[in-house]
Structures are given as structure tokens and as C-alpha cells.
Amino acid sequence: MISKKAVGLLTTALVAQICAASTSQPRGDDATCKKTTVAILGGGMAGIAAAQALSNSSMNDFIIIEYRDALGGRVIHTDFGKDPKGKPYTVELGANWVQGLGSPGGPENPIWTFAKKWGVKNTYSNYSSILTYNETGFTDYSSLLDEYETLYEDAASAAGTLLAENGQDQTARTGLALAGWRPKVDDMARQAVEWWEWDWEDSYSPDESSFIFGVAGSNLTFNQFSDENNFVWDQRGYSRIITQEASTFLQPHDPRVQLNSIITNVTYSTDGVTVHKQDGSCVSAAYAICTFSLGVLQNHAVSFTPALPAWKQTAIQKFTMGTYTKIFLQFNETFWPRDTQYFLYADPIRRGYYPVWQSLSAPDFLPDSNILFVTVVAQESYRVERQSDEVTQREVMAVLRNMYPDLTIPDPIAFMYPRWSTTPWSFGSYSNWPASTTLEMHENLRANVDRLWFAGEATSAQYFGFLHGAWFEGRDAGERIAGMLGKECVIPGECHERKYWERLRGSSPLADYSVLDGWGVSSFYSSY
């Protein structure tokens, strides 16, 4: 016989189970959800590229669900400071460059194609237009930039040999050291140069980055397209390339675009996908393309029902999401050299402490704007993004006053920076490829799970971390799904599900890297 106490305990346990089930299960009945064929989760570059690919295949039954109040994703701008007439300037919080433009007779970066198509204003980033500083002021260690670049070419060539001989990866630190670049811990000039050459691009140090894929990723963009980078300063915002391209297949206030929509749960199966939103509404689709950032996936900002399989969760947690924080200052005057684009600071104690400064007052940018900004990444980003603006401004101004000890520098009239690492729809800026992470692992990051597909810059093995990587991946997912829906397959033989590895084979054998030859990596390595 069960006692009343036991019955009470059982009842309490049962109620707890029911409550837990009710909170963990997605809300909404599929029968009441808005129906569509393809749900696109996120309205950034990958989401718009996917929708455009579907539209180009005459598959127009899709819905784009976007967290923010506008399309663009991590290509986002904001007002900052004021011009002489009192109108605010526009500065980019996220993506800011077109990286690798294109060369005559060769392939052209699609982002560069869009920038020209929509008249987005930009200027060539002249990385030779740089002055170097330390805590005593101007100190010329620019010769170290040439030293690094010479040794990096040797390292890149060695990466090709490493790939050809045994396919084993290692850290970029190892590859650089073997080529002769070995900055001592207290050699802060070399540490600053290394930050400028590596961390500033990858958002992680060489110690935390893949050698083979770090070099390959650089080659695939800057050798395939070109070694030019153009900085976008258009006062309409860099996101113009996304919104204008979207306008070619979307109508104004198109009902297929759901803005201000926070997704809380994605329920998927072999039969379809149901997307549940914070407001209690839902979308039921035959397929879904998830373009969430790697940071969102890693932070479990959205739940999945059932839980993503172990191979998928492992791949998500294996890769790294970097943070790239631009800190903007506007002054009453431009007290720094007007004709110089970049200023590199070597702190006497801390590597990566407010190292790279950029002038928007330079010619062909925003002359006389008196705007300067400094970039930090990784641990310094996490630190400054968790402290107040006032504390960060004091630190930044102390560095500036070290750089120009003979000047009396007033406090800025405007100061601002984003906090990407805590932004709930991104949790970071862009992805990086960690050392000894294989192509198999990346294929698992990219692979679909039943009817749920994934796309974004992080899922691009060739162009991870780049805006054009997001475009290529979104287009690929859209084209594959269109083909699976019976539309004409744009690339014959490619309209099928993506491969995944339930059991990884450890460090990748050479055969796993055969796909790299398809990207033309071998020819890029041989060019060194």
C-alpha cells in the first residue's frame, strides 16, 4: 500500500515532469502555423543569397525570418558623431571591407560585383600607409612588417608542402616559427606587427589558428580574386548591397519577410521543419535554412527539437567564433597625420592592447570628419565589451596620449563601440578555423540534419570569416533545396544532401584534402 506521503511525492514529481515538458516543448500547433515551402532563418547575406537562389529557380514560396528590424545581419551600421552641419555620420559596426576584388580575366568577388552594381562608395585600403608607435611616441619599426611578410611567404609555401606530404595540420605559430618568425614574448614591436598581420584578420592569435586552413583561406580569397581590400564608407551603409540585391526579388513590405521576429525553437524531422517564435507564432515549412551565426549556435540561443545529433553539436563547439570590436572616437580636430590611413601601437606590456588605429579623416574617406577608430579582438574584445564606456575611453585616451606625447589631446566629443560578444543574435563577429580541425569536422558543421539546412560564413571551408563566404554558402543551400524540390539543378549533380561523418577518422589523411585541389589551392601554394 502506498502512503499518502508517497502519493504526495509522486504527485509532486509528476507535476514537475509535466511542467518541465510544457516549458521545453515548442509552443504552437503546426496546424495553426503559417505555411511555406522553405523557411529561411536570418536575413543577413547568407539568408538573402539563399532566397535569391530559390527565386532564380522559380521557387517563390519562402519566408525570411529576421531577428532585427532590417535585413543585413552582421553587416550593420549606425549613426556616430556629427558633420559640420550637425548631421550624423554613418559608421560600420560589423563588416567593413570588400576583401579580394578580382583581376582582369579572372574571377570576381561577388561582393565587389554588388558594390559596383549598387554604387557603394569605398576606398582602397593602403596598408603601406602606416606609421608605427610605442609608449614613447613615434618609433619606426616598419621594417619588421617587411620581415614578417617575407617569412610568411616561406611559411605559406611550407604549408603547401605539408599538405602534399602528409596532410597534417598544426598551429599557425608552429608554421611561422619554422619559417623563421619567432617573436620573443617581450619583443613588443614584433608582437604588434604579428597582431597587425595575423590577429587583425583572423580575430585569433597564431597560437589558436589552423596553419593549413589559415593560409589556404587567405590564398583562396586574395590569390583567387586579388590582394586588394577596399574599405566601405558609404553613408547609406554597407548593408545597401544586401537590401538592394534583395529588392530584385522582394517587394517593398513583402509579406514573405518577417522582421522583429525572435526565434526560440526549431523543431525538425524528415518530414519538415516548424519554427517557433517568441511571440507565440510559428512557421511550418518543408525545408528550413538556418543562417544563425556560429556564436548563436554555440550559445544555445535557440533550442532544437530533437536536440541536434552529437556529430553536429561537436562540430559546432569545435570551431571558434571571434570577436572584432571597433572603438570610434570623434574629436574637434584631426591632430594625427591627415594623409596616413593606419597607425600601429606596440604596448610595452600587453600584446593586442589597442594596437591598430584607422583614420576616417584621411583623403578619399570622410575628410574633416575628425573620426579615428581603434580595433581590438579576442580576449581584449571580451574585456572591453564587459566594461563601461567611461573605463574604455580612459584606457584609449591614455594610449593616444602615449602615441603623441608632444600634443595636448582633448577628450573626444563622441565615443562609441559595439558589444558583439554579448549581442544575442550574433554572440561574436565571425568564425575562425582552429588548429588540427579537419575537413571532416567542417563538413559536419555544414551538413544538413533531416530537412534542416545550415548556411553562413562559418559553413564555408573556402571563405570562412568572409562576407563572400556567407554569400556562396547561402546560394549553395538555396540551389540544392530548389533542386530537391524538383526545380532545375543549377549545378548538375550538386542538388543533394550534404555529407556528414558520424565517426571521425582522427587527424585527416591526405585523401580528405582532395577537395582542396578542387578549389585550386595547390596552384596558389605553388605561386610562392
Side-chain angles (χ1 to χ4, degrees):
M1 184 174 179
I2 301 177
S3 68
K4 289 182 180 179
K5 181 179 180 181
V7 170
L9 290 172
L10 286 171
T11 303
T12 301
L14 181 60
V15 169
Q17 289 177 9
I18 293 171
C19 289
S22 65
T23 55
S24 63
Q25 292 299 312
R27 293 172 294 168
D29 183 349
D30 283 3
T32 63
C33 293
K34 186 174 180 62
K35 306 293 184 183
T36 191
T37 302
V38 182
I40 299 171
L41 316 185
M45 177 56 81
I48 295 306
Q52 187 174 48
L54 291 169
S55 180
N56 289 344
S57 297
S58 301
M59 214 305 291
N60 297 302
D61 183 24
F62 57 80
I63 291 176
I64 301 170
I65 307 172
E66 167 56 37
Y67 187 109
R68 294 176 49 228
D69 61 357
L71 300 175
R74 284 169 274 163
V75 185
I76 182 173
H77 57 271
T78 192
D79 293 343
F80 176 71
K82 293 181 180 178
D83 67 14
K85 295 181 180 179
K87 180 181 177 182
Y89 287 101
T90 294
V91 295
E92 300 294 334
L93 300 176
N96 222 142
W97 279 266
V98 183
Q99 295 178 290
L101 309 183
S103 55
E108 185 170 274
N109 186 328
I111 307 303
W112 179 234
T113 304
F114 296 148
K116 293 187 296 182
K117 178 179 179 180
W118 300 113
V120 172
K121 297 176 182 177
N122 58 88
T123 297
Y124 170 63
S125 278
N126 182 3
Y127 296 136
S128 297
S129 177
I130 183 172
L131 296 173
T132 56
Y133 300 77
N134 63 16
E135 75 280 7
T136 67
F138 173 77
T139 304
D140 188 5
Y141 50 87
S142 58
S143 62
L144 297 179
L145 297 169
D146 295 332
E147 178 185 334
Y148 177 96
E149 288 168 8
T150 297
L151 295 176
Y152 175 83
E153 290 184 359
D154 294 339
S157 178
T161 302
L162 179 70
L163 173 66
E165 290 181 349
N166 57 26
Q168 299 295 311
D169 195 14
Q170 55 198 13
T171 66
R173 167 68 62 221
T174 302
L176 290 169
L178 291 172
W181 177 260
R182 308 181 190 94
K184 293 188 170 84
V185 174
D186 59 351
D187 187 343
M188 303 313 290
R190 278 185 168 78
Q191 294 286 353
V193 165
E194 182 180 270
W195 195 100
W196 157 269
E197 298 281 4
W198 188 278
D199 300 41
W200 191 42
E201 181 69 46
D202 290 60
S203 78
Y204 278 93
S205 71
D207 304 271
E208 303 163 289
S209 302
S210 164
F211 181 40
I212 285 180
F213 287 99
V215 171
S218 177
N219 284 348
L220 282 161
T221 286
F222 298 117
N223 288 9
Q224 181 181 19
F225 299 125
S226 74
D227 61 0
E228 295 176 302
N229 288 300
N230 279 24
F231 184 91
V232 174
W233 51 267
D234 196 305
Q235 295 300 282
R236 296 165 297 183
Y238 193 1
S239 61
R240 176 174 169 80
I241 66 169
I242 297 176
T243 56
Q244 289 299 108
E245 201 61 23
S247 72
T248 63
F249 61 92
L250 295 174
Q251 299 299 317
H253 310 293
D254 199 306
R256 294 174 297 173
V257 178
Q258 298 182 356
L259 301 176
N260 297 305
S261 295
I262 301 176
I263 297 171
T264 56
N265 172 269
V266 178
T267 298
Y268 66 93
S269 71
T270 55
D271 298 320
V273 181
T274 302
V275 182
H276 298 268
K277 301 194 295 181
Q278 190 178 67
D279 63 5
S281 65
C282 53
V283 174
S284 178
Y287 291 87
I289 302 173
C290 176
T291 70
F292 299 156
S293 75
L294 179 63
V296 166
L297 294 173
Q298 289 179 334
N299 281 275
H300 300 282
V302 176
S303 66
F304 292 89
T305 307
L308 295 172
W311 59 263
K312 188 71 172 182
Q313 293 192 49
T314 301
I316 288 170
Q317 297 302 331
K318 174 63 177 174
F319 284 80
T320 49
M321 186 70 175
T323 300
Y324 186 102
T325 311
K326 290 178 283 189
I327 303 168
F328 294 90
L329 305 92
Q330 185 183 36
F331 295 90
N332 281 319
E333 62 176 338
T334 298
F335 56 81
W336 56 93
R338 286 179 175 271
D339 293 335
T340 303
Q341 292 187 21
Y342 296 98
F343 310 91
L344 180 62
Y345 174 72
D347 187 79
I349 299 173
R350 293 164 64 171
R351 183 182 184 278
Y353 188 76
Y354 304 115
V356 172
W357 298 73
Q358 291 176 247
S359 174
L360 292 184
S361 275
D364 299 320
F365 290 86
L366 299 173
D368 301 319
S369 65
N370 305 323
I371 295 176
L372 187 68
F373 70 96
V374 58
T375 301
V376 293
V377 303
Q379 294 302 319
E380 282 301 301
S381 283
Y382 305 148
R383 185 183 70 81
V384 302
E385 290 188 7
R386 283 158 178 77
Q387 67 188 22
S388 68
D389 283 14
E390 291 74 20
V391 170
T392 302
Q393 180 175 315
R394 284 199 299 272
E395 293 177 351
V396 165
M397 291 307 299
V399 169
L400 264 183
R401 287 164 180 148
N402 284 343
M403 292 169 66
Y404 300 101
D406 298 329
L407 299 179
T408 300
I409 302 175
D411 285 339
I413 57 176
F415 182 87
M416 178 274 299
Y417 62 96
R419 286 168 167 80
W420 282 109
S421 63
T422 59
T423 298
W425 51 266
S426 64
F427 287 113
S429 301
Y430 51 83
S431 67
N432 185 49
W433 197 302
S436 301
T437 304
T438 66
L439 272 172
E440 288 181 353
M441 295 175 187
H442 188 270
E443 285 182 315
N444 283 0
L445 178 65
R446 188 173 187 253
N448 59 290
V449 183
D450 294 335
R451 295 287 188 92
L452 177 62
W453 288 62
F454 294 83
E457 53 83 12
T459 67
S460 174
Q462 301 99 315
Y463 309 113
F464 62 92
F466 289 103
L467 186 58
H468 48 278
W471 184 84
F472 280 116
E473 285 297 286
R475 184 188 66 167
D476 179 82
E479 289 177 348
R480 285 177 186 256
I481 290 176
M484 296 177 75
L485 289 168
K487 304 296 181 181
E488 181 180 356
C489 189
V490 176
I491 305 176
E494 290 296 316
C495 293
H496 52 74
E497 295 186 348
R498 291 171 174 167
K499 182 178 182 179
Y500 77 92
W501 303 83
E502 192 153 356
R503 182 177 179 181
L504 298 170
R505 293 176 289 175
S507 49
S508 293
L510 182 59
D512 290 344
Y513 289 86
S514 61
V515 66
L516 289 177
D517 291 328
W519 301 342
V521 172
S522 298
S523 62
F524 292 145
Y525 284 127
S526 65
S527 68
Y528 281 99

